[in-house]
Amino acid sequence: MNNTKMQWFKDAKYGLFIHWGLFSLLAGEYNGKRTDHIAEWIMNYLDIPVEEYRKLAASFTAEKFNADEIVRMAKEEWGMKYLVFTTKHHEGFAMWNSGCSDYNVVKATPYGKDVLKEFQTACEKYGLALGLYYSQAQDWDDPDGYMYGHDNSRKNFRRYLDEKCIPQLKELLTGYGKISILWFDTPMDMTEAESGELADIVRTLQPECIISGRIGNGIGDYLTTGDNFIPAMPLERDWEVPATLNDTWGYNKYDNNWKDPEEILRLLLKIVRRGGNYLLNIGPDGQGDIPRQSIEILNTVGKYVRENADAVFGTKTTDLYPYDLNWAELTAKEHKLFVHVLKPITRVELLNVANTVRRAYLVRNGMELECRSRNICEGDPIVEVELPEELRQQKNYAVCIELEEEWPVFEPIRG
Ligand code: H79
C-alpha cells in the first residue's frame, strides 16, 4: 500500500460518523410499530413500501440542522480528525443535489439545500478530512438494487450500477472538493470485477482518496472491522472500527442504551494502542438535532483527547505488555511510554518494564513526577512513578514516562 496516501489516516485515530437520512424522521417507529433493530434499517425491517417511504421526504425540513456547528464541535470540542457522512444509505435517498436521481434532499424536500455541500464547506473551514459513506450494493428504492433478506435473483444489478450507482459516485467525486475516504458498505454479492470497477472510478477521479474495506472482495485500502467489534491485537494492515454510542446508527427515540463516556475513552485507547482508528457515530434526529447524550459523551471523551493529545496522536503500536491492567491503558511513541490512568491509584507501578527511565510528567500540564526503575525482590524489573496527593483521588489523566531506550521493553512473565 502506498504509505504516503495512507499517512493521514494512520495519524488520524479518531473520526466522526454521521448517519442522517429519511430514516431519521421515523426515529425508530412507523405506523405505531417500533423497530428494536438499528433504526436506519426500518424500511427493510418493517417492509415499508417504496411509495410510502418516499413520502417522508415531504416532511424533511431540517430546522435544527447546522453543519458548521457539528463540524466545529467535532474538531474543536471532540478532538476528531475526520468525518464520514451518509450521502446515500441503503434507503436510496441522496443527501446531495444528485443529477441522476430526483430522490434527493434538494429536489424532493422542503429543506431544499445540499446537505453534503454544507458539510464540505464546514470541513474546509475547520480543516477536517471529509469522507463519504455510499451504499453501493443495497438500494431499497431502486428496483434493481440489492435488498437484504429479499429475493435479489431476478434483479438487473448492472442496470442499477450503470444508471444510479456509478453516475452518483462520479458526482460525489467531482462536485464536492477533496474527498478523503469513500466509505462503501455491505457489498452483498458484488463480484470482484464490480467492486474493482467502483474502486477504479475512485482512483481515477481522486487518486488520493482511500477506500473502506467494505467495498468488498478484499480490495479496500484498509480493513473495516465488524460494526462495534474491536480487534484484540494489532493487525498487519491499517484498520478502523465503526461504532455507535447507543445501539443504533440512525436516530431512534426509544434507544437510551447510551455507553458510558469512560467506556468509550477506554475503547479509544485500546484501539489506538493496537494501531487502529475509531469512527464514532452520531445520528441526528429528523430536524437535524444531535441527541444531547451523544454530545455529552463526546464532550467528555474530547476533553481527555485534547488535553492528552500527545499521548494519543502519533503513537505507534509496540510489543504487548504481558499484564492486564484494569486501572490503565498504555500507548507509546519514540522514547515515551504513556500511562493513561483510568481509575484512582496511589502510584504507577509497571511490573516487567525493563527500561531505564529519564523522567516522568503529567501530560496535561507538564508537572514533573518522581520516577525510578529498579528490580523488585523477586528479581523482576519495575518502573514506578510517585503521584502527589491531589492526583491520587483523580482518574482519567495521562502520565508520560520518558525512556532512555527508543521503545518500551516489556519482559515476559518468568515467575
Ligand atoms: O450503516 C450502518 C449499518 O446500517 C450498516 N453498517 C453500519 C455502518 C449495516 N448494514 N448491514 N448491517 C449493518 C448488518 C445489519 C444486519 C441487521 Fe437486520 C440489520 C440486523 C438487524 C438489522 C436484517 C434486518 C437482519 C435482521 C434484520
Side-chain angles (χ1 to χ4, degrees):
M1 181 48 51
N2 177 344
N3 263 338
T4 343
K5 172 171 148 178
M6 293 305 293
Q7 196 57 50
W8 77 266
F9 182 79
K10 292 177 197 288
D11 294 339
K13 311 287 188 209
Y14 195 31
L16 180 68
F17 217 163
I18 303 176
H19 275 69
W20 200 39
L22 296 183
F23 48 78
S24 313
L25 292 158
L26 290 177
E29 183 172 31
Y30 177 72
N31 272 354
K33 273 180 288 182
R34 293 184 194 179
T35 173
D36 57 0
H37 289 290
I38 44 184
E40 70 283 2
W41 273 67
I42 194 165
M43 178 182 182
N44 178 306
Y45 191 67
L46 294 183
D47 274 320
I48 307 176
V50 167
E51 287 317 313
E52 287 301 306
Y53 195 85
R54 282 185 157 236
K55 290 178 187 162
L56 288 171
S59 46
F60 190 89
T61 51
E63 277 140 26
K64 303 272 183 61
F65 177 63
N66 185 341
D68 189 276
E69 179 59 7
I70 296 173
V71 175
R72 187 197 66 75
M73 285 193 290
K75 175 80 183 198
E76 295 182 357
E77 313 278 341
W78 303 339
M80 292 161 159
K81 306 291 188 191
Y82 64 111
L83 175 157
V84 178
F85 171 62
T86 52
T87 61
K88 187 202 81 171
H89 205 271
H90 310 330
E91 65 179 5
F93 185 73
M95 296 294 280
W96 77 97
N97 190 14
S98 177
C100 64
S101 164
D102 288 351
Y103 191 44
N104 75 58
V105 71
V106 176
K107 300 195 181 92
T109 75
Y111 181 66
K113 285 190 275 184
D114 188 326
V115 168
L116 178 55
K117 210 22 131 195
E118 296 181 89
F119 276 120
Q120 180 203 345
T121 305
C123 283
E124 287 170 358
K125 174 174 165 188
Y126 293 99
L128 219 63
L130 175 63
L132 309 182
Y133 174 106
Y134 186 85
S135 173
Q136 79 276 29
Q138 292 202 73
D139 190 308
W140 304 333
D141 187 75
D142 190 297
D144 290 320
Y146 282 106
M147 187 161 190
Y148 179 85
H150 289 238
D151 178 16
N152 294 307
S153 63
R154 282 190 298 278
K155 291 185 173 177
N156 184 353
F157 187 64
R158 188 68 241 175
R159 188 208 62 78
Y160 156 77
L161 279 182
D162 288 334
E163 292 181 15
K164 186 167 183 184
C165 176
I166 289 173
Q168 285 200 329
L169 199 51
K170 288 180 176 168
E171 291 175 5
L172 292 172
L173 289 161
T174 52
Y176 297 88
K178 179 175 165 51
I179 304 304
S180 296
I181 304 182
L182 217 311
W183 217 98
F184 293 106
D185 197 14
T186 69
M188 306 290 286
D189 292 330
M190 281 179 71
T191 63
E192 189 168 348
E194 287 165 344
S195 295
E197 207 179 327
L198 302 188
D200 285 346
I201 292 167
V202 178
R203 290 177 179 141
T204 304
L205 294 175
Q206 295 230 20
E208 296 297 306
C209 179
I210 63 178
I211 297 174
S212 76
R214 298 214 189 138
I215 190 168
N217 297 290
I219 64 169
D221 291 321
Y222 65 89
L223 302 176
T224 309
T225 69
D227 297 346
N228 286 306
F229 278 85
I230 292 172
M233 59 195 78
L235 302 176
E236 290 290 320
R237 298 184 55 198
D238 297 318
W239 55 277
E240 174 187 58
V241 178
T244 52
L245 294 176
N246 51 358
D247 294 327
T248 184
W249 305 85
Y251 179 69
N252 181 348
K253 64 183 169 196
Y254 297 109
D255 186 340
N256 271 304
N257 195 20
W258 299 99
K259 291 170 189 158
D260 186 349
E262 295 194 351
E263 182 189 345
I264 298 286
L265 174 59
R266 191 181 273 270
L267 294 176
L268 170 65
L269 296 171
K270 280 186 194 294
I271 289 168
V272 167
R273 161 73 185 85
R274 295 167 192 172
N277 285 5
Y278 202 14
L279 182 62
L280 261 186
N281 183 70
I282 57 170
D285 68 15
Q287 298 302 318
D289 216 10
I290 305 171
R292 176 183 50 80
Q293 295 91 335
S294 301
I295 295 181
E296 285 170 7
I297 297 167
L298 296 176
N299 282 348
T300 305
V301 177
K303 181 169 188 292
Y304 185 91
V305 169
R306 287 183 290 109
E307 284 183 352
N308 298 285
D310 192 40
V312 174
F313 301 105
T315 58
K316 311 267 167 53
T317 59
T318 59
D319 296 337
L320 290 179
Y321 181 64
Y323 283 108
D324 190 7
L325 305 173
N326 76 337
W327 53 273
E329 293 292 333
L330 303 178
T331 57
K333 60 174 57 158
E334 290 81 353
H335 296 289
K336 288 177 176 178
L337 172 62
F338 296 103
V339 186
H340 301 262
V341 180
L342 305 176
K343 292 185 175 180
I345 51 166
T346 309
R347 71 172 55 75
V348 173
E349 295 177 342
L350 292 172
L351 194 59
N352 285 30
V353 175
N355 293 84
T356 307
V357 296
R358 284 182 187 157
R359 61 184 277 253
Y361 59 90
L362 193 62
V363 175
R364 67 168 181 245
N365 62 10
M367 181 173 70
E368 287 290 331
L369 302 169
E370 189 189 327
C371 71
R372 63 175 168 175
S373 44
R374 59 177 173 138
N375 289 324
I376 59 163
C377 31
E378 290 91 344
D380 303 305
I382 191 167
V383 167
E384 293 165 303
V385 182
E386 294 297 328
L387 300 172
E389 195 58 39
E390 76 261 22
L391 269 185
R392 296 181 182 192
Q393 327 300 330
Q394 295 180 30
K395 57 182 176 176
N396 301 335
Y397 59 90
V399 170
C400 176
I401 303 171
E402 284 194 3
L403 310 171
E404 205 58 58
E405 302 79 10
E406 188 168 20
W407 296 105
V409 179
F410 298 139
E411 287 208 342
I413 301 167
R414 285 184 233 281

